[in-house]
Amino acid sequence: MSLLGEIERIKRLVAYCKRLCNTSNPFEIADQLGILYQIGNLKQEGCYMFLKNHRYIFLSDQLSREELILVMAHELGHALLDRKSNCYFIRNKTLLLNSRLERRANFFAAYLLIPDDLIAEFNGYTMEQMSLCTGYPKELIELRLK
Protein backbone atom coordinates (compact mmCIF):
# COMPACT_ATOMS: atom_id res chain seq x y z
CA MET A 1 0.00 0.00 0.00
CA SER A 2 1.26 3.51 -0.80
CA LEU A 3 2.12 5.97 1.97
CA LEU A 4 -0.91 8.10 1.07
CA GLY A 5 -3.13 5.03 1.18
CA GLU A 6 -1.74 4.07 4.58
CA ILE A 7 -2.25 7.59 5.94
CA GLU A 8 -5.87 7.61 4.73
CA ARG A 9 -6.46 4.22 6.38
CA ILE A 10 -4.94 5.50 9.64
CA LYS A 11 -7.05 8.68 9.51
CA ARG A 12 -10.20 6.56 9.11
CA LEU A 13 -9.16 4.28 11.98
CA VAL A 14 -8.51 7.27 14.27
CA ALA A 15 -11.88 8.82 13.33
CA TYR A 16 -13.59 5.48 14.01
CA CYS A 17 -11.92 5.14 17.43
CA LYS A 18 -12.84 8.70 18.40
CA ARG A 19 -16.45 8.16 17.32
CA LEU A 20 -16.78 4.72 18.90
CA CYS A 21 -15.21 5.70 22.21
CA ASN A 22 -16.35 9.34 22.21
CA THR A 23 -12.85 10.51 23.15
CA SER A 24 -9.35 11.08 21.80
CA ASN A 25 -7.77 10.06 25.10
CA PRO A 26 -5.62 7.00 24.28
CA PHE A 27 -6.08 5.53 27.79
CA GLU A 28 -9.87 5.68 27.55
CA ILE A 29 -9.79 4.20 24.04
CA ALA A 30 -7.61 1.32 25.27
CA ASP A 31 -9.99 0.73 28.19
CA GLN A 32 -13.02 0.59 25.90
CA LEU A 33 -11.29 -1.67 23.36
CA GLY A 34 -9.98 -4.11 25.97
CA ILE A 35 -6.32 -3.29 25.43
CA LEU A 36 -4.52 -3.77 28.73
CA TYR A 37 -1.85 -1.35 29.91
CA GLN A 38 0.41 -0.97 32.88
CA ILE A 39 2.67 1.84 34.10
CA GLY A 40 5.78 0.75 35.97
CA ASN A 41 9.52 0.35 36.10
CA LEU A 42 10.51 0.00 32.45
CA LYS A 43 13.85 0.62 30.75
CA GLN A 44 12.19 1.88 27.56
CA GLU A 45 9.56 4.60 27.51
CA GLY A 46 6.96 2.15 26.32
CA CYS A 47 6.32 -1.09 24.51
CA TYR A 48 3.47 -3.02 22.96
CA MET A 49 3.28 -6.79 23.19
CA PHE A 50 0.87 -9.40 21.91
CA LEU A 51 0.89 -12.24 24.45
CA LYS A 52 -1.42 -15.23 24.66
CA ASN A 53 -3.95 -13.57 22.35
CA HIS A 54 -4.11 -10.38 24.42
CA ARG A 55 -2.83 -6.89 23.64
CA TYR A 56 -0.63 -5.29 26.33
CA ILE A 57 0.95 -1.85 26.53
CA PHE A 58 3.67 -1.18 29.08
CA LEU A 59 4.66 2.40 29.94
CA SER A 60 7.52 3.82 31.99
CA ASP A 61 6.66 5.46 35.30
CA GLN A 62 9.44 7.99 34.60
CA LEU A 63 7.39 9.80 31.92
CA SER A 64 5.67 13.14 32.48
CA ARG A 65 1.90 13.29 31.96
CA GLU A 66 2.33 14.71 28.42
CA GLU A 67 4.96 12.11 27.53
CA LEU A 68 2.74 9.34 28.90
CA ILE A 69 -0.13 10.40 26.62
CA LEU A 70 2.17 10.58 23.57
CA VAL A 71 3.77 7.18 24.21
CA MET A 72 0.36 5.62 24.95
CA ALA A 73 -1.04 6.98 21.68
CA HIS A 74 1.95 5.58 19.78
CA GLU A 75 1.65 2.15 21.42
CA LEU A 76 -2.12 2.15 20.88
CA GLY A 77 -1.32 2.62 17.20
CA HIS A 78 0.74 -0.55 17.29
CA ALA A 79 -2.04 -2.41 19.12
CA LEU A 80 -4.59 -1.45 16.47
CA LEU A 81 -2.46 -1.46 13.32
CA ASP A 82 0.12 -4.16 14.01
CA ARG A 83 -1.69 -6.41 16.46
CA LYS A 84 0.75 -9.34 16.45
CA SER A 85 4.02 -7.36 16.42
CA ASN A 86 6.02 -6.58 19.54
CA CYS A 87 7.31 -2.99 19.49
CA TYR A 88 9.37 -0.78 21.79
CA PHE A 89 9.16 3.01 22.05
CA ILE A 90 12.39 4.93 22.56
CA ARG A 91 11.63 8.60 21.96
CA ASN A 92 15.02 9.69 20.68
CA LYS A 93 14.86 6.97 18.06
CA THR A 94 11.25 5.95 17.47
CA LEU A 95 9.93 9.32 16.27
CA LEU A 96 12.76 9.45 13.75
CA LEU A 97 12.60 5.86 12.51
CA ASN A 98 11.38 5.16 9.04
CA SER A 99 10.40 1.53 9.54
CA ARG A 100 6.88 0.84 8.36
CA LEU A 101 5.63 -0.22 11.82
CA GLU A 102 7.03 2.84 13.61
CA ARG A 103 5.91 5.25 10.90
CA ARG A 104 2.35 3.91 11.09
CA ALA A 105 2.27 4.16 14.90
CA ASN A 106 3.62 7.72 14.71
CA PHE A 107 0.95 8.73 12.18
CA PHE A 108 -1.72 7.16 14.40
CA ALA A 109 -0.48 9.15 17.42
CA ALA A 110 -0.27 12.35 15.38
CA TYR A 111 -3.83 12.09 14.06
CA LEU A 112 -5.23 11.00 17.43
CA LEU A 113 -3.58 13.76 19.46
CA ILE A 114 -3.48 16.68 17.02
CA PRO A 115 -6.99 17.39 15.67
CA ASP A 116 -7.78 19.72 12.77
CA ASP A 117 -9.03 22.48 15.08
CA LEU A 118 -5.68 22.55 16.90
CA ILE A 119 -3.88 22.93 13.57
CA ALA A 120 -6.26 25.76 12.63
CA GLU A 121 -5.63 27.44 15.99
CA PHE A 122 -1.89 27.54 15.28
CA ASN A 123 -2.17 28.49 11.62
CA GLY A 124 0.83 30.64 10.70
CA TYR A 125 3.02 29.28 13.48
CA THR A 126 6.26 27.47 12.68
CA MET A 127 6.53 23.82 13.69
CA GLU A 128 8.92 24.84 16.46
CA GLN A 129 6.43 27.40 17.82
CA MET A 130 3.57 24.91 17.61
CA SER A 131 5.72 22.33 19.41
CA LEU A 132 6.47 24.77 22.23
CA CYS A 133 2.80 25.74 22.57
CA THR A 134 1.33 22.23 22.44
CA GLY A 135 4.11 20.23 24.09
CA TYR A 136 4.17 17.76 21.19
CA PRO A 137 7.52 16.96 19.55
CA LYS A 138 8.24 18.81 16.32
CA GLU A 139 8.56 15.46 14.50
CA LEU A 140 5.00 14.50 15.47
CA ILE A 141 3.63 17.85 14.30
CA GLU A 142 5.54 17.51 11.05
CA LEU A 143 3.95 14.10 10.45
CA ARG A 144 0.48 15.49 11.18
CA LEU A 145 0.94 18.33 8.72
CA LYS A 146 1.79 15.93 5.86
Side-chain angles (χ1 to χ4, degrees), residues 84-118:
K84 293 190 177 182
S85 299
N86 294 328
C87 307
Y88 298 87
F89 186 94
I90 303 168
R91 182 181 358 187
N92 296 340
K93 296 184 174 83
T94 304
L95 281 174
L96 303 174
L97 288 179
N98 287 322
S99 79
R100 181 174 177 257
L101 294 179
E102 295 307 325
R103 185 178 63 233
R104 288 160 40 116
N106 287 339
F107 274 113
F108 183 89
Y111 279 96
L112 182 65
L113 299 175
I114 306 172
D116 291 340
D117 57 342
L118 186 66

Side-chain angles (χ1 to χ4, degrees), residues 32-136:
Q32 292 186 44
L33 297 179
I35 299 167
L36 305 171
Y37 58 88
Q38 183 173 357
I39 301 169
N41 186 9
L42 196 65
K43 289 184 181 180
Q44 304 87 351
E45 291 169 329
C47 71
Y48 165 72
M49 300 183 97
F50 185 73
L51 302 165
K52 296 185 179 181
N53 214 27
H54 288 86
R55 296 175 287 181
Y56 295 94
I57 294 172
F58 299 96
L59 303 163
S60 170
D61 59 7
Q62 299 301 303
L63 298 172
S64 70
R65 181 183 176 280
E66 293 80 15
E67 292 168 329
L68 209 54
I69 291 169
L70 170 61
V71 175
M72 181 64 175
H74 175 94
E75 299 302 342
L76 182 62
H78 283 306
L80 296 173
L81 294 163
D82 305 302
R83 179 183 177 97
K84 293 190 177 182
S85 299
N86 294 328
C87 307
Y88 298 87
F89 186 94
I90 303 168
R91 182 181 358 187
N92 296 340
K93 296 184 174 83
T94 304
L95 281 174
L96 303 174
L97 288 179
N98 287 322
S99 79
R100 181 174 177 257
L101 294 179
E102 295 307 325
R103 185 178 63 233
R104 288 160 40 116
N106 287 339
F107 274 113
F108 183 89
Y111 279 96
L112 182 65
L113 299 175
I114 306 172
D116 291 340
D117 57 342
L118 186 66
I119 290 173
E121 181 181 334
F122 290 101
N123 186 27
Y125 284 56
T126 66
M127 279 187 270
E128 289 82 7
Q129 291 168 327
M130 192 172 172
S131 176
L132 286 171
C133 292
T134 62
Y136 295 123

Side-chain angles (χ1 to χ4, degrees), residues 4-54:
L4 281 177
E6 278 195 280
I7 293 171
E8 284 304 313
R9 180 175 163 248
I10 291 166
K11 285 166 66 173
R12 284 192 306 273
L13 178 60
V14 167
Y16 173 76
C17 288
K18 286 179 172 182
R19 228 179 13 260
L20 178 70
C21 300
N22 200 30
T23 185
S24 61
N25 181 309
F27 290 95
E28 292 178 25
I29 293 171
D31 286 339
Q32 292 186 44
L33 297 179
I35 299 167
L36 305 171
Y37 58 88
Q38 183 173 357
I39 301 169
N41 186 9
L42 196 65
K43 289 184 181 180
Q44 304 87 351
E45 291 169 329
C47 71
Y48 165 72
M49 300 183 97
F50 185 73
L51 302 165
K52 296 185 179 181
N53 214 27
H54 288 86

